[in-house]
Amino acid sequence: MSERKQRARAVFDEAAANTRDRSPATFDQWFGGVQFDDLTEGVLTLRAQNEFVMDWVKTNFLPELVAQIHELSGWSVQVSWILDPELDEPVSVRGEAQRPVKPHPLTLSSSEPPPASRRVPPPDDINPRHTFSNFVVGPSNQLAHAAAVAAAGGGGRRYNPLFLCGGTGLGKTHLVHAIAHRVYNERVGGARIRYLSAERFTNEFITALQHQRMDEFRAKYRDQCDLLLVDDIQFLAGRVQTQEEFFHTFNALHNVDRQIVVTSDKYPQQLERMEERLVSRFASGLVADIQSPELETRVAIVRNKADLEGFEIDDEVAVYLAQAVRSNVRELEGTLIRLAAKSSLTGKKVDMTFVKTELSAQLSHRTHTLSIEDIQRAVCQHFHLRTSDLTSKDRHKTVAFARHVAMYLCKQRLKCSFPELGRAFGGRDHTTVMSAVRKIVNQREDNPDVRAHLEAIERRLAAD
Ligand code: ADP
Ligand code: MG
């Protein structure tokens, strides 16, 4: 290498290193697809693995890089690009063993705005089917739907934050994805959309803390974010530090009127172990709830899904299914998909006879309802006790605790009366049962160990 070239290279390396300092991980990700070619006083020549990398680096890193070069050498450079899929010496080595840059490393949840001219497929964690056009609107979800459309900039008064709440399987996630799709498609190149579950927010936060990368984390969710969509916020229950972080994230975005959409399985005021100031923030925009859909809506959903799945279903069958599965849309959808699968495997048409036979099998399976004995058995397995311990007079701490837990679970799950429970637990007085249940209710609030036990037993019951 000539001396001139060596010097040029050194300038570039130093400029690149300084540029990298700002956000090393992102830099490495992108400069793993870029190679230094030459730097003369007038021109910096770079190779890019593909157009996508080039576009992205141009908009996001070049100004800084060029400024750095100017600072170090006094040169004002123009940048010239060569596309070269086969780089032999990329500027950065990407963390994960030189993964080639996909032509669309963009996800909605990444920090990078997409280049203006390009439509990039939606990211993995946004379901491509969860669009507004696939969402069936009925009285049960009208408000939530309209509010979601408005939050996506689709007209109507926009509320910030928008808080979507409702039971499981009723379409909250679907609506949030639909917002992401809409904003993404209409403002390509503009909006930086972050979609994530509260659980992922928590995990990323913890990781950032552990690796001293809070600056990066904050930049990602505060500065480099135009639309924040957080699913299942109830997950933050009791996580004090994450709540604190989220509170500041929320404020940072809200102060500059960046749209925030949060979903939850409860109303803000009913969220457990959630800081009051967060609850009041959540309730400060629009709280839109989703109820279980009425029959007509369920019928429309069945038709819609059948359409999407590409099979025919007549009206009688659609109505029958909608009547049979009332709990939530996810179940309805699940049932329909199972029927479709079975029909294609057996070659039978999805008609009334077929559906009735299939559903009766499914429903009778489901009616295996939980009994007091089932709960007692699960509790004993969990605590390594004999069932007879629960009905005995044994007052040892573990046994007594297990007994209380079992009583509590029976009350919660089976809605048995207190006297009935007293009888099932060795002929105890109903007031004994009442106080046991109350004890666990209180401990569940304050004691994470108790919650962990309860959750483990619930899992056991669910697996039965
Ligand atoms: P949640 O997040 O409220 O638990 P999801 O958004 O995951 O529920 O919805 C469960 C399933 O039901 C998804 O596949 C979704 O597409 C579907 N679904 C829910 N509501 C509707 C609706 N109104 N129209 C069409 N599909 C729906
Ligand atoms: Mg959901």
Side-chain angles (χ1 to χ4, degrees):
M1 221 191 285
S2 74
E3 209 177 301
R4 179 201 66 78
K5 201 160 177 179
Q6 250 171 7
R7 155 126 172 90
R9 178 73 213 227
V11 168
F12 173 81
D13 284 347
E14 197 173 342
N18 293 346
T19 307
R20 182 176 181 274
D21 281 347
R22 198 163 38 101
S23 48
T26 321
F27 182 95
D28 290 343
Q29 180 65 29
W30 292 94
F31 279 81
V34 176
Q35 184 170 320
F36 172 83
D37 214 62
D38 201 357
L39 171 62
T40 66
E41 284 162 45
V43 185
L44 165 65
T45 311
L46 296 173
R47 286 173 190 268
Q49 203 167 40
N50 57 45
E51 239 180 309
F52 189 81
V53 172
M54 176 181 81
D55 283 348
W56 201 88
V57 168
K58 267 187 193 169
T59 26
N60 292 278
F61 278 113
L62 273 196
E64 163 92 321
L65 188 65
V66 167
Q68 289 286 348
I69 291 173
H70 185 75
E71 190 152 296
L72 292 165
S73 63
W75 300 331
S76 302
V77 295
Q78 303 285 317
V79 183
S80 125
W81 288 91
I82 300 168
L83 289 178
D84 179 1
E86 237 81 88
L87 303 179
D88 42 46
E89 201 201 335
V91 176
S92 284
V93 177
R94 291 191 194 97
E96 297 155 48
Q98 286 284 14
R99 208 156 28 94
V101 170
K102 287 197 222 133
H104 55 90
L106 247 200
T107 62
L108 286 188
S109 51
S110 81
S111 61
E112 300 78 37
S117 59
R118 222 168 283 258
R119 275 179 192 254
V120 192
D124 301 341
D125 49 357
I126 299 277
N127 187 326
R129 286 188 169 191
H130 287 168
T131 57
F132 282 124
S133 54
N134 287 342
F135 191 82
V136 176
V137 185
S140 58
N141 56 31
Q142 222 161 27
L143 173 65
H145 172 263
V149 171
R157 173 157 177 210
R158 188 168 69 81
Y159 290 89
N160 199 14
L162 170 60
F163 190 94
L164 297 174
C165 57
T168 169
L170 296 183
K172 301 181 296 294
T173 298
H174 187 136
L175 282 178
V176 169
H177 286 190
I179 295 173
H181 281 299
R182 172 74 58 91
V183 171
Y184 193 67
N185 288 330
E186 295 193 348
R187 288 195 255 157
V188 173
R192 290 160 301 181
I193 304 167
R194 306 240 172 247
Y195 163 78
L196 79 174
S197 62
E199 179 172 6
R200 207 177 106 200
F201 185 88
T202 306
N203 293 339
E204 283 190 24
F205 170 61
I206 293 170
T207 311
L209 272 183
Q210 282 168 345
H211 296 92
Q212 277 102 42
R213 301 181 105 143
M214 279 310 294
D215 286 350
E216 225 174 287
F217 180 85
R218 291 193 173 131
K220 182 170 171 190
Y221 292 108
R222 297 185 196 182
D223 311 332
Q224 300 157 14
C225 174
D226 300 310
L227 170 62
L228 179 65
L229 309 165
V230 181
D231 215 349
D232 293 317
I233 201 76
Q234 72 276 1
F235 183 84
L236 295 191
R239 296 170 204 270
V240 178
Q241 236 186 322
T242 313
Q243 284 183 27
E244 159 112 28
E245 180 63 26
F246 187 73
F247 178 74
H248 294 298
T249 305
F250 184 104
N251 289 343
L253 295 173
H254 197 259
N255 287 340
V256 289
D257 198 30
R258 300 276 187 264
Q259 180 71 45
I260 301 163
V261 182
V262 168
T263 78
S264 158
D265 64 354
K266 301 186 186 66
Y267 285 94
Q269 293 79 6
Q270 291 167 356
L271 284 167
E272 289 162 24
R273 288 170 288 133
M274 187 73 74
E275 275 189 51
E276 199 39 54
R277 55 184 187 165
L278 261 181
V279 170
S280 78
R281 289 293 186 289
F282 291 155
S284 67
L286 177 68
V287 176
D289 69 348
I290 308 184
Q291 303 288 337
S292 295
E294 312 67 24
L295 180 64
E296 290 74 14
T297 311
R298 294 203 302 275
V299 174
I301 289 172
V302 169
R303 291 211 183 100
N304 181 284
K305 295 287 170 195
D307 245 19
L308 283 175
E309 293 296 320
F311 66 93
E312 303 237 328
I313 191 166
D314 65 29
D315 288 353
E316 197 191 1
V317 174
V319 173
Y320 182 82
L321 267 173
Q323 273 169 337
V325 187
R326 296 152 176 271
S327 48
N328 69 49
V329 183
R330 187 176 294 130
E331 289 237 357
L332 192 56
E333 196 176 80
T335 307
L336 194 65
I337 287 168
R338 262 197 310 283
L339 289 175
K342 187 100 184 227
S343 128
S344 86
L345 283 174
T346 56
K348 288 187 190 146
K349 247 184 79 114
V350 186
D351 55 15
M352 275 309 267
T353 335
F354 177 75
V355 170
K356 277 187 172 159
T357 338
E358 287 302 318
L359 280 198
S360 69
Q362 181 185 333
L363 294 177
S364 72
H365 176 71
R366 187 90 52 72
T367 48
H368 161 72
T369 42
L370 216 55
S371 64
I372 296 185
E373 289 73 30
D374 293 333
I375 291 180
Q376 291 179 331
R377 198 175 318 115
V379 169
C380 288
Q381 279 167 359
H382 176 75
F383 289 107
H384 306 291
L385 299 172
R386 287 162 304 174
T387 326
S388 57
D389 292 333
L390 295 184
T391 50
S392 72
K393 297 269 177 271
D394 191 336
R395 283 163 173 269
H396 274 97
K397 221 168 142 192
T398 324
V399 178
F401 177 64
R403 193 179 294 129
H404 294 169
V405 165
M407 287 173 173
Y408 162 85
L409 285 170
C410 288
K411 187 69 199 167
Q412 290 278 309
R413 297 283 299 255
L414 312 180
K415 316 271 179 246
C416 307
S417 70
F418 288 117
E420 191 184 343
L421 285 177
R423 282 193 294 279
F425 282 83
R428 289 179 154 79
D429 191 71
H430 73 278
T431 55
T432 313
V433 183
M434 275 166 80
S435 86
V437 171
R438 205 172 315 119
K439 220 177 261 172
I440 299 298
V441 168
N442 292 333
Q443 289 177 0
R444 185 193 60 184
E445 294 300 304
D446 316 328
N447 188 335
D449 291 342
V450 173
R451 277 200 298 283
H453 282 303
L454 290 172
E455 278 163 21
I457 299 165
E458 290 278 3
R459 273 197 297 277
R460 209 177 263 278
L461 287 170
D464 274 351

PDB file of all heavy atoms in Angstrom, residues 130 134-137 141 166-175 231-232 290 297 301 304-305 329-330 333, ligand 1:
ATOM      1  N   HIS A 130     -52.803  -9.703  10.424  1.00  0.00           N
ATOM      2  CA  HIS A 130     -53.493  -8.841  11.385  1.00  0.00           C
ATOM      3  C   HIS A 130     -53.608  -7.409  10.866  1.00  0.00           C
ATOM      4  O   HIS A 130     -52.956  -6.514  11.350  1.00  0.00           O
ATOM      5  CB  HIS A 130     -52.765  -8.853  12.735  1.00  0.00           C
ATOM      6  CG  HIS A 130     -52.951 -10.120  13.490  1.00  0.00           C
ATOM      7  ND1 HIS A 130     -52.210 -10.452  14.603  1.00  0.00           N
ATOM      8  CD2 HIS A 130     -53.814 -11.144  13.324  1.00  0.00           C
ATOM      9  CE1 HIS A 130     -52.605 -11.628  15.074  1.00  0.00           C
ATOM     10  NE2 HIS A 130     -53.568 -12.065  14.309  1.00  0.00           N
ATOM     11  N   ASN A 134     -58.732  -7.216   7.725  1.00  0.00           N
ATOM     12  CA  ASN A 134     -59.125  -8.553   8.195  1.00  0.00           C
ATOM     13  C   ASN A 134     -59.831  -8.520   9.545  1.00  0.00           C
ATOM     14  O   ASN A 134     -60.086  -9.568  10.125  1.00  0.00           O
ATOM     15  CB  ASN A 134     -57.894  -9.453   8.331  1.00  0.00           C
ATOM     16  CG  ASN A 134     -57.357  -9.866   6.982  1.00  0.00           C
ATOM     17  OD1 ASN A 134     -58.063  -9.768   5.981  1.00  0.00           O
ATOM     18  ND2 ASN A 134     -56.120 -10.318   6.944  1.00  0.00           N
ATOM     19  N   PHE A 135     -60.077  -7.368  10.032  1.00  0.00           N
ATOM     20  CA  PHE A 135     -60.683  -7.258  11.360  1.00  0.00           C
ATOM     21  C   PHE A 135     -62.179  -7.012  11.205  1.00  0.00           C
ATOM     22  O   PHE A 135     -62.606  -6.070  10.530  1.00  0.00           O
ATOM     23  CB  PHE A 135     -60.036  -6.110  12.135  1.00  0.00           C
ATOM     24  CG  PHE A 135     -60.401  -6.081  13.597  1.00  0.00           C
ATOM     25  CD1 PHE A 135     -59.745  -6.894  14.518  1.00  0.00           C
ATOM     26  CD2 PHE A 135     -61.412  -5.245  14.061  1.00  0.00           C
ATOM     27  CE1 PHE A 135     -60.078  -6.873  15.862  1.00  0.00           C
ATOM     28  CE2 PHE A 135     -61.756  -5.217  15.408  1.00  0.00           C
ATOM     29  CZ  PHE A 135     -61.087  -6.030  16.305  1.00  0.00           C
ATOM     30  N   VAL A 136     -62.958  -7.881  11.794  1.00  0.00           N
ATOM     31  CA  VAL A 136     -64.414  -7.738  11.684  1.00  0.00           C
ATOM     32  C   VAL A 136     -64.915  -6.809  12.792  1.00  0.00           C
ATOM     33  O   VAL A 136     -64.655  -7.041  13.970  1.00  0.00           O
ATOM     34  CB  VAL A 136     -65.105  -9.116  11.810  1.00  0.00           C
ATOM     35  CG1 VAL A 136     -66.624  -8.953  11.802  1.00  0.00           C
ATOM     36  CG2 VAL A 136     -64.640 -10.034  10.692  1.00  0.00           C
ATOM     37  N   VAL A 137     -65.596  -5.760  12.383  1.00  0.00           N
ATOM     38  CA  VAL A 137     -66.055  -4.774  13.352  1.00  0.00           C
ATOM     39  C   VAL A 137     -67.504  -5.041  13.743  1.00  0.00           C
ATOM     40  O   VAL A 137     -68.345  -5.304  12.888  1.00  0.00           O
ATOM     41  CB  VAL A 137     -65.943  -3.349  12.768  1.00  0.00           C
ATOM     42  CG1 VAL A 137     -66.309  -2.320  13.824  1.00  0.00           C
ATOM     43  CG2 VAL A 137     -64.538  -3.102  12.268  1.00  0.00           C
ATOM     44  N   ASN A 141     -66.486  -4.305  19.513  1.00  0.00           N
ATOM     45  CA  ASN A 141     -65.117  -3.801  19.345  1.00  0.00           C
ATOM     46  C   ASN A 141     -65.039  -2.515  18.532  1.00  0.00           C
ATOM     47  O   ASN A 141     -63.953  -2.049  18.186  1.00  0.00           O
ATOM     48  CB  ASN A 141     -64.251  -4.877  18.684  1.00  0.00           C
ATOM     49  CG  ASN A 141     -64.825  -5.343  17.366  1.00  0.00           C
ATOM     50  OD1 ASN A 141     -65.473  -4.589  16.649  1.00  0.00           O
ATOM     51  ND2 ASN A 141     -64.596  -6.599  17.034  1.00  0.00           N
ATOM     52  N   GLY A 166     -59.227  -5.698  27.249  1.00  0.00           N
ATOM     53  CA  GLY A 166     -60.253  -6.699  27.051  1.00  0.00           C
ATOM     54  C   GLY A 166     -59.688  -8.073  27.321  1.00  0.00           C
ATOM     55  O   GLY A 166     -58.478  -8.255  27.412  1.00  0.00           O
ATOM     56  N   GLY A 167     -60.590  -9.029  27.436  1.00  0.00           N
ATOM     57  CA  GLY A 167     -60.192 -10.398  27.766  1.00  0.00           C
ATOM     58  C   GLY A 167     -59.308 -11.002  26.686  1.00  0.00           C
ATOM     59  O   GLY A 167     -59.104 -10.424  25.620  1.00  0.00           O
ATOM     60  N   THR A 168     -58.805 -12.156  26.992  1.00  0.00           N
ATOM     61  CA  THR A 168     -57.875 -12.791  26.067  1.00  0.00           C
ATOM     62  C   THR A 168     -58.589 -13.279  24.797  1.00  0.00           C
ATOM     63  O   THR A 168     -59.744 -13.670  24.849  1.00  0.00           O
ATOM     64  CB  THR A 168     -57.123 -13.937  26.775  1.00  0.00           C
ATOM     65  OG1 THR A 168     -56.439 -14.676  25.787  1.00  0.00           O
ATOM     66  CG2 THR A 168     -58.051 -14.874  27.496  1.00  0.00           C
ATOM     67  N   GLY A 169     -57.877 -13.169  23.701  1.00  0.00           N
ATOM     68  CA  GLY A 169     -58.401 -13.675  22.432  1.00  0.00           C
ATOM     69  C   GLY A 169     -59.471 -12.815  21.800  1.00  0.00           C
ATOM     70  O   GLY A 169     -60.213 -13.272  20.938  1.00  0.00           O
ATOM     71  N   LEU A 170     -59.550 -11.564  22.187  1.00  0.00           N
ATOM     72  CA  LEU A 170     -60.617 -10.712  21.650  1.00  0.00           C
ATOM     73  C   LEU A 170     -60.122  -9.718  20.601  1.00  0.00           C
ATOM     74  O   LEU A 170     -60.887  -8.893  20.122  1.00  0.00           O
ATOM     75  CB  LEU A 170     -61.330  -9.970  22.787  1.00  0.00           C
ATOM     76  CG  LEU A 170     -62.081 -10.863  23.790  1.00  0.00           C
ATOM     77  CD1 LEU A 170     -62.807 -10.018  24.822  1.00  0.00           C
ATOM     78  CD2 LEU A 170     -63.069 -11.780  23.077  1.00  0.00           C
ATOM     79  N   GLY A 171     -58.847  -9.770  20.274  1.00  0.00           N
ATOM     80  CA  GLY A 171     -58.393  -8.945  19.150  1.00  0.00           C
ATOM     81  C   GLY A 171     -57.513  -7.752  19.485  1.00  0.00           C
ATOM     82  O   GLY A 171     -57.269  -6.907  18.627  1.00  0.00           O
ATOM     83  N   LYS A 172     -56.991  -7.696  20.704  1.00  0.00           N
ATOM     84  CA  LYS A 172     -56.142  -6.549  21.061  1.00  0.00           C
ATOM     85  C   LYS A 172     -54.855  -6.551  20.233  1.00  0.00           C
ATOM     86  O   LYS A 172     -54.485  -5.546  19.636  1.00  0.00           O
ATOM     87  CB  LYS A 172     -55.787  -6.588  22.564  1.00  0.00           C
ATOM     88  CG  LYS A 172     -56.987  -6.558  23.476  1.00  0.00           C
ATOM     89  CD  LYS A 172     -56.591  -6.575  24.935  1.00  0.00           C
ATOM     90  CE  LYS A 172     -55.877  -7.858  25.372  1.00  0.00           C
ATOM     91  NZ  LYS A 172     -56.707  -9.068  25.340  1.00  0.00           N
ATOM     92  N   THR A 173     -54.197  -7.690  20.244  1.00  0.00           N
ATOM     93  CA  THR A 173     -52.943  -7.779  19.494  1.00  0.00           C
ATOM     94  C   THR A 173     -53.200  -7.544  18.001  1.00  0.00           C
ATOM     95  O   THR A 173     -52.435  -6.857  17.324  1.00  0.00           O
ATOM     96  CB  THR A 173     -52.285  -9.149  19.734  1.00  0.00           C
ATOM     97  OG1 THR A 173     -51.992  -9.255  21.131  1.00  0.00           O
ATOM     98  CG2 THR A 173     -51.009  -9.299  18.951  1.00  0.00           C
ATOM     99  N   HIS A 174     -54.290  -8.099  17.532  1.00  0.00           N
ATOM    100  CA  HIS A 174     -54.639  -7.902  16.121  1.00  0.00           C
ATOM    101  C   HIS A 174     -54.721  -6.401  15.790  1.00  0.00           C
ATOM    102  O   HIS A 174     -54.131  -5.937  14.814  1.00  0.00           O
ATOM    103  CB  HIS A 174     -55.983  -8.588  15.844  1.00  0.00           C
ATOM    104  CG  HIS A 174     -56.374  -8.608  14.402  1.00  0.00           C
ATOM    105  ND1 HIS A 174     -56.882  -9.719  13.779  1.00  0.00           N
ATOM    106  CD2 HIS A 174     -56.353  -7.630  13.450  1.00  0.00           C
ATOM    107  CE1 HIS A 174     -57.145  -9.432  12.508  1.00  0.00           C
ATOM    108  NE2 HIS A 174     -56.840  -8.171  12.289  1.00  0.00           N
ATOM    109  N   LEU A 175     -55.397  -5.655  16.624  1.00  0.00           N
ATOM    110  CA  LEU A 175     -55.543  -4.213  16.365  1.00  0.00           C
ATOM    111  C   LEU A 175     -54.206  -3.482  16.411  1.00  0.00           C
ATOM    112  O   LEU A 175     -53.949  -2.596  15.594  1.00  0.00           O
ATOM    113  CB  LEU A 175     -56.521  -3.579  17.369  1.00  0.00           C
ATOM    114  CG  LEU A 175     -58.007  -3.811  17.080  1.00  0.00           C
ATOM    115  CD1 LEU A 175     -58.862  -3.178  18.170  1.00  0.00           C
ATOM    116  CD2 LEU A 175     -58.397  -3.252  15.701  1.00  0.00           C
ATOM    117  N   ASP A 231     -47.643  -4.365  23.995  1.00  0.00           N
ATOM    118  CA  ASP A 231     -48.698  -5.357  24.163  1.00  0.00           C
ATOM    119  C   ASP A 231     -48.635  -5.967  25.567  1.00  0.00           C
ATOM    120  O   ASP A 231     -47.551  -6.215  26.088  1.00  0.00           O
ATOM    121  CB  ASP A 231     -48.473  -6.455  23.112  1.00  0.00           C
ATOM    122  CG  ASP A 231     -49.786  -7.019  22.589  1.00  0.00           C
ATOM    123  OD1 ASP A 231     -50.840  -6.719  23.173  1.00  0.00           O
ATOM    124  OD2 ASP A 231     -49.734  -7.766  21.592  1.00  0.00           O
ATOM    125  N   ASP A 232     -49.783  -6.212  26.137  1.00  0.00           N
ATOM    126  CA  ASP A 232     -49.911  -6.926  27.411  1.00  0.00           C
ATOM    127  C   ASP A 232     -49.148  -6.265  28.555  1.00  0.00           C
ATOM    128  O   ASP A 232     -48.308  -6.879  29.211  1.00  0.00           O
ATOM    129  CB  ASP A 232     -49.447  -8.387  27.249  1.00  0.00           C
ATOM    130  CG  ASP A 232     -50.389  -9.162  26.340  1.00  0.00           C
ATOM    131  OD1 ASP A 232     -51.613  -8.996  26.503  1.00  0.00           O
ATOM    132  OD2 ASP A 232     -49.911  -9.903  25.473  1.00  0.00           O
ATOM    133  N   ILE A 290     -62.665  -3.927  24.636  1.00  0.00           N
ATOM    134  CA  ILE A 290     -63.228  -4.867  23.676  1.00  0.00           C
ATOM    135  C   ILE A 290     -63.997  -5.912  24.469  1.00  0.00           C
ATOM    136  O   ILE A 290     -63.460  -6.473  25.432  1.00  0.00           O
ATOM    137  CB  ILE A 290     -62.124  -5.569  22.859  1.00  0.00           C
ATOM    138  CG1 ILE A 290     -61.177  -4.543  22.253  1.00  0.00           C
ATOM    139  CG2 ILE A 290     -62.728  -6.437  21.783  1.00  0.00           C
ATOM    140  CD1 ILE A 290     -60.121  -5.162  21.361  1.00  0.00           C
ATOM    141  N   THR A 297     -71.438 -10.869  15.040  1.00  0.00           N
ATOM    142  CA  THR A 297     -70.025 -10.603  14.781  1.00  0.00           C
ATOM    143  C   THR A 297     -69.258 -11.920  14.678  1.00  0.00           C
ATOM    144  O   THR A 297     -68.379 -12.073  13.827  1.00  0.00           O
ATOM    145  CB  THR A 297     -69.426  -9.736  15.908  1.00  0.00           C
ATOM    146  OG1 THR A 297     -70.298  -8.633  16.135  1.00  0.00           O
ATOM    147  CG2 THR A 297     -68.053  -9.230  15.553  1.00  0.00           C
ATOM    148  N   ILE A 301     -67.028 -13.247  11.679  1.00  0.00           N
ATOM    149  CA  ILE A 301     -65.626 -13.637  11.856  1.00  0.00           C
ATOM    150  C   ILE A 301     -65.382 -15.017  11.257  1.00  0.00           C
ATOM    151  O   ILE A 301     -64.389 -15.247  10.559  1.00  0.00           O
ATOM    152  CB  ILE A 301     -65.229 -13.584  13.349  1.00  0.00           C
ATOM    153  CG1 ILE A 301     -65.160 -12.119  13.816  1.00  0.00           C
ATOM    154  CG2 ILE A 301     -63.884 -14.271  13.582  1.00  0.00           C
ATOM    155  CD1 ILE A 301     -64.956 -11.950  15.314  1.00  0.00           C
ATOM    156  N   ASN A 304     -65.217 -14.670   7.564  1.00  0.00           N
ATOM    157  CA  ASN A 304     -63.983 -13.993   7.208  1.00  0.00           C
ATOM    158  C   ASN A 304     -62.783 -14.928   7.275  1.00  0.00           C
ATOM    159  O   ASN A 304     -61.949 -14.987   6.367  1.00  0.00           O
ATOM    160  CB  ASN A 304     -63.845 -12.814   8.184  1.00  0.00           C
ATOM    161  CG  ASN A 304     -62.623 -11.989   7.943  1.00  0.00           C
ATOM    162  OD1 ASN A 304     -61.531 -12.401   8.298  1.00  0.00           O
ATOM    163  ND2 ASN A 304     -62.789 -10.810   7.353  1.00  0.00           N
ATOM    164  N   LYS A 305     -62.710 -15.695   8.355  1.00  0.00           N
ATOM    165  CA  LYS A 305     -61.570 -16.614   8.508  1.00  0.00           C
ATOM    166  C   LYS A 305     -61.615 -17.722   7.462  1.00  0.00           C
ATOM    167  O   LYS A 305     -60.573 -18.114   6.927  1.00  0.00           O
ATOM    168  CB  LYS A 305     -61.581 -17.271   9.899  1.00  0.00           C
ATOM    169  CG  LYS A 305     -61.373 -16.301  11.042  1.00  0.00           C
ATOM    170  CD  LYS A 305     -59.943 -15.813  11.132  1.00  0.00           C
ATOM    171  CE  LYS A 305     -59.909 -14.674  12.125  1.00  0.00           C
ATOM    172  NZ  LYS A 305     -58.721 -13.865  12.093  1.00  0.00           N
ATOM    173  N   VAL A 329     -62.501 -15.105  20.313  1.00  0.00           N
ATOM    174  CA  VAL A 329     -62.274 -15.257  18.881  1.00  0.00           C
ATOM    175  C   VAL A 329     -61.151 -16.244  18.592  1.00  0.00           C
ATOM    176  O   VAL A 329     -61.180 -16.972  17.609  1.00  0.00           O
ATOM    177  CB  VAL A 329     -61.969 -13.891  18.244  1.00  0.00           C
ATOM    178  CG1 VAL A 329     -61.807 -14.014  16.749  1.00  0.00           C
ATOM    179  CG2 VAL A 329     -63.064 -12.903  18.585  1.00  0.00           C
ATOM    180  N   ARG A 330     -60.183 -16.278  19.489  1.00  0.00           N
ATOM    181  CA  ARG A 330     -59.065 -17.186  19.246  1.00  0.00           C
ATOM    182  C   ARG A 330     -59.548 -18.630  19.202  1.00  0.00           C
ATOM    183  O   ARG A 330     -59.149 -19.403  18.340  1.00  0.00           O
ATOM    184  CB  ARG A 330     -57.983 -17.004  20.303  1.00  0.00           C
ATOM    185  CG  ARG A 330     -56.729 -17.822  19.991  1.00  0.00           C
ATOM    186  CD  ARG A 330     -55.623 -17.579  20.982  1.00  0.00           C
ATOM    187  NE  ARG A 330     -55.129 -16.214  20.902  1.00  0.00           N
ATOM    188  CZ  ARG A 330     -54.974 -15.421  21.947  1.00  0.00           C
ATOM    189  NH1 ARG A 330     -55.274 -15.852  23.143  1.00  0.00           N
ATOM    190  NH2 ARG A 330     -54.514 -14.206  21.797  1.00  0.00           N
ATOM    191  N   GLU A 333     -61.496 -19.254  16.039  1.00  0.00           N
ATOM    192  CA  GLU A 333     -60.569 -19.397  14.941  1.00  0.00           C
ATOM    193  C   GLU A 333     -59.876 -20.760  14.996  1.00  0.00           C
ATOM    194  O   GLU A 333     -59.748 -21.447  13.988  1.00  0.00           O
ATOM    195  CB  GLU A 333     -59.539 -18.290  15.081  1.00  0.00           C
ATOM    196  CG  GLU A 333     -58.721 -18.014  13.897  1.00  0.00           C
ATOM    197  CD  GLU A 333     -57.831 -16.808  14.190  1.00  0.00           C
ATOM    198  OE1 GLU A 333     -56.791 -16.970  14.845  1.00  0.00           O
ATOM    199  OE2 GLU A 333     -58.195 -15.714  13.768  1.00  0.00           O
TER     200      GLU A 333
HETATM  201  P1  ADP B   1     -55.764 -10.733  22.253  1.00  0.00           P
HETATM  202  O1  ADP B   1     -54.490 -10.043  21.927  1.00  0.00           O
HETATM  203  O2  ADP B   1     -56.862  -9.799  22.630  1.00  0.00           O
HETATM  204  O3  ADP B   1     -55.606 -11.842  23.235  1.00  0.00           O
HETATM  205  P2  ADP B   1     -55.653 -11.495  19.485  1.00  0.00           P
HETATM  206  O4  ADP B   1     -55.544 -10.158  18.869  1.00  0.00           O
HETATM  207  O5  ADP B   1     -54.433 -12.311  19.528  1.00  0.00           O
HETATM  208  O6  ADP B   1     -56.295 -11.415  20.937  1.00  0.00           O
HETATM  209  O7  ADP B   1     -56.820 -12.279  18.728  1.00  0.00           O
HETATM  210  C1  ADP B   1     -56.925 -13.680  18.747  1.00  0.00           C
HETATM  211  C2  ADP B   1     -57.271 -14.161  17.346  1.00  0.00           C
HETATM  212  O8  ADP B   1     -58.584 -13.760  17.025  1.00  0.00           O
HETATM  213  C3  ADP B   1     -56.374 -13.569  16.306  1.00  0.00           C
HETATM  214  O9  ADP B   1     -56.042 -14.545  15.354  1.00  0.00           O
HETATM  215  C4  ADP B   1     -57.205 -12.471  15.677  1.00  0.00           C
HETATM  216  O10 ADP B   1     -56.880 -12.308  14.323  1.00  0.00           O
HETATM  217  C5  ADP B   1     -58.598 -12.981  15.841  1.00  0.00           C
HETATM  218  N1  ADP B   1     -59.578 -11.913  16.019  1.00  0.00           N
HETATM  219  C6  ADP B   1     -59.923 -11.307  17.170  1.00  0.00           C
HETATM  220  N2  ADP B   1     -60.875 -10.383  16.966  1.00  0.00           N
HETATM  221  C7  ADP B   1     -61.123 -10.391  15.628  1.00  0.00           C
HETATM  222  C8  ADP B   1     -62.010  -9.649  14.787  1.00  0.00           C
HETATM  223  N3  ADP B   1     -62.837  -8.726  15.269  1.00  0.00           N
HETATM  224  N4  ADP B   1     -62.001  -9.947  13.482  1.00  0.00           N
HETATM  225  C9  ADP B   1     -61.184 -10.890  12.989  1.00  0.00           C
HETATM  226  N5  ADP B   1     -60.343 -11.613  13.715  1.00  0.00           N
HETATM  227  C10 ADP B   1     -60.298 -11.375  15.032  1.00  0.00           C
END
